[in-house]
Amino acid sequence: LLGWFISLRSPSLFSLHLGRRFLEEVWLAPHASRMHILHYLLGLSFYPMALVKGPPKQNVFWFLGLQSCQLISHLTLWRLRSRGSYQPIPKRGLFRFILCPHYLTEILLYWGSDPWVFAFVALNVALSAQSTRQWYQSRFGPDPRAALIPNFL
């Protein structure tokens, strides 16, 4: 029983992730940025496809650790935005090493899922991380940190 719990392929874990992300969007993320309608529709179509393909098989402790890291990253960014103007890029926690730890944890959350689902998430998030890095640099100047993987990407 413990082995089943520790290595779990469970829609309930995936639902926990989706529920947490929904609550973050509602309460933490009043977006000033614009999203293209096709990107929005692609995002909406992704979740049913991911559920049909099957949620990732993950160690529950790995899953909860990644959820915590992503939530902390989102709260850090939210605190900066809630002060009214854009603040410099954070340098605490995983932000010490990379500019977009919230994106890295998103990719890692899909590790163990269908290869097409994982590839979709990794590519989409890597492109978003690079775009975010470019925005940061245009706003705050050069920064030696990589977007996702230290000394690489």
Side-chain angles (χ1 to χ4, degrees):
L1 184 62
L2 182 61
W4 172 83
F5 178 74
I6 291 174
S7 182
L8 190 60
R9 181 182 291 269
S10 169
S12 61
L13 284 181
F14 191 65
S15 298
L16 176 68
H17 172 64
L18 296 180
R20 182 187 59 81
R21 294 290 291 126
F22 174 76
L23 293 174
E24 286 177 357
E25 288 298 316
V26 171
W27 282 298
L28 294 182
H31 295 289
S33 62
R34 302 276 183 235
M35 181 185 292
H36 193 280
I37 187 69
L38 293 178
H39 194 206
Y40 178 75
L41 293 173
L42 184 64
L44 284 179
S45 67
F46 166 76
Y47 293 108
M49 179 202 51
L51 284 172
V52 166
K53 291 286 192 178
K57 182 177 183 182
Q58 294 180 333
N59 175 305
V60 72
F61 300 111
W62 169 261
F63 174 83
L64 293 174
L66 289 172
Q67 290 290 320
S68 299
C69 288
Q70 191 175 55
L71 178 61
I72 289 166
S73 297
H74 286 158
L75 287 170
T76 300
L77 292 171
W78 175 77
R79 283 186 197 112
L80 292 176
R81 262 187 270 133
S82 67
R83 294 183 183 145
S85 65
Y86 289 104
Q87 304 293 318
I89 308 164
K91 293 187 178 172
R92 297 180 1 200
L94 293 176
F95 286 101
R96 289 179 298 185
F97 309 107
I98 56 177
L99 296 172
C100 303
H102 51 301
Y103 288 149
L104 177 60
T105 55
E106 185 74 17
I107 292 171
L108 294 174
L109 280 165
Y110 284 92
W111 185 264
S113 63
D114 178 83
W116 289 106
V117 171
F118 178 76
F120 175 85
V121 170
L123 180 61
N124 188 38
V125 170
L127 292 173
S128 295
Q130 285 296 65
S131 176
T132 299
R133 185 172 194 267
Q134 289 171 352
W135 184 87
Y136 280 156
Q137 289 184 342
S138 71
R139 187 95 173 157
F140 304 112
D143 192 300
R145 291 173 285 176
L148 282 175
I149 302 168
N151 303 315
F152 181 67
L153 175 68

